[in-house]
Amino acid sequence: MGSELLKVGVLVSGRGSNLQAIIDASERGEIQAQVVVVVSDKGDALALKRAQKHGIEALFLNPDAYPNREAYERAMGDELERRGVELICLAGYMRVLSPYFVRRFSGRIMNIHPALLPSFPGLHGQLQALDYGVKVSGCTVHFVDEEVDHGPIIIQAVVPVLDDDDEDALSSRILEYEHKIYPRAIQLFAQGRLKVQKRRVKIEGIKPETWAAVNPPLQD
Ligand code: GAR
């Protein structure tokens, strides 16, 4: 039965709350996937400790030990392949992957971003949304291509932006949904239900939502 689980490798740099959500969903049997290795570019990442706590191999790969990004990513790719990783999930991994790595694992890398892409890519997506003055924001899980925060979108969640929000308040409202949509995207991948057609990801056997969200409301 265990052999039916999709083998996931998670790349991290910091806190690891999305990693935690994925591990928890896996342990609860909500996703047909297991995290087999966590790789960090930062030795002191809390995410590494979270992995160890669950008996998951936690690997610190120091970028300074390699002559360039591609050499680093070649080593990382080898470590992932050695463990039979079938899907790579970026979860707060704060480095831009090289075209080399993206091609090597083409269609098998996902990322989560704390904004409704293509709005507010890059760093501090939540603060960018606040500063711009949008009324809704959210989060996005997408396949990774050679451009930053750009590949085909798998799932998005929308949350309201409130008048007295600061970066922390909006970030935590968004984070709650990051923790729901990332495991969901992994499960859909594990089930083989994600069909990429150019930029559009169709999901087999699913009826899309029919609602629209309006903020502020149309009536008092
Ligand atoms: C998350 O909010 C994730 O969406 C964001 O970093 C945070 C990592 O938190 N990623 C990006 O901004 C990528 N562009 P976590 O380490 O607790 O999962």
Side-chain angles (χ1 to χ4, degrees):
M1 195 189 141
S3 61
E4 291 164 23
L5 297 177
L6 180 84
K7 290 194 167 91
V8 177
V10 183
L11 308 190
V12 298
S13 299
R15 181 179 57 180
S17 73
N18 276 288
L19 167 70
Q20 189 71 55
I22 296 165
I23 293 171
D24 291 347
S26 173
E27 288 187 349
R28 286 196 297 259
E30 291 167 6
I31 59 177
Q32 293 154 273
Q34 58 175 333
V35 179
V36 294
V37 64
V38 173
V39 183
S40 176
D41 64 330
K42 296 269 192 306
D44 59 355
L46 176 59
L48 289 173
K49 294 208 180 67
R50 291 185 193 261
Q52 284 160 353
K53 224 173 153 184
H54 290 263
I56 296 166
E57 189 179 6
L59 221 55
F60 164 48
L61 287 187
N62 186 354
D64 297 338
Y66 298 85
N68 54 49
R69 183 170 63 162
E70 189 168 321
Y72 178 66
E73 291 182 358
R74 198 175 304 123
M76 188 161 70
D78 291 348
E79 296 289 355
L80 293 164
E81 264 179 4
R82 204 168 291 146
R83 290 159 182 82
V85 165
E86 298 160 285
L87 175 68
I88 299 167
C89 291
L90 312 186
Y93 181 69
M94 297 320 260
R95 280 170 192 272
V96 175
L97 292 170
S98 67
Y100 155 76
F101 191 87
V102 173
R103 280 189 215 126
R104 178 167 169 184
F105 296 98
S106 172
R108 297 193 289 136
I109 312 174
M110 285 182 190
N111 180 42
I112 188 152
H113 183 74
L116 294 174
L117 291 174
S119 294
F120 315 126
L123 294 176
H124 300 289
Q126 306 96 327
L127 187 59
Q128 291 184 57
L130 273 182
D131 288 347
Y132 196 92
V134 292
K135 297 298 187 192
V136 295
S137 191
C139 44
T140 304
V141 177
H142 64 93
F143 284 115
V144 171
D145 67 8
E146 293 179 25
E147 290 174 55
V148 174
D149 296 331
H150 176 268
I153 290 171
I154 300 163
I155 184 168
Q156 294 184 300
V158 180
V159 307
V161 178
L162 306 182
D163 282 348
D164 53 2
D165 272 350
D166 57 13
E167 187 180 9
D168 280 352
L170 180 59
S171 296
S172 58
R173 193 173 309 119
I174 291 172
L175 194 64
E176 185 185 336
Y177 283 87
E178 293 188 38
H179 297 165
K180 295 179 198 289
I181 68 172
Y182 216 164
R184 176 69 170 145
I186 292 168
Q187 173 64 356
L188 293 169
F189 183 94
Q191 292 174 321
R193 292 167 68 191
L194 300 179
K195 304 293 168 204
V196 183
Q197 299 168 359
K198 295 189 191 161
R199 283 208 49 89
R200 298 183 73 181
V201 180
K202 304 275 174 69
I203 299 169
E204 271 178 5
I206 212 161
K207 286 202 191 85
E209 290 284 3
T210 54
W211 48 255
V214 180
N215 185 43
L218 291 172
Q219 271 148 9
D220 284 346

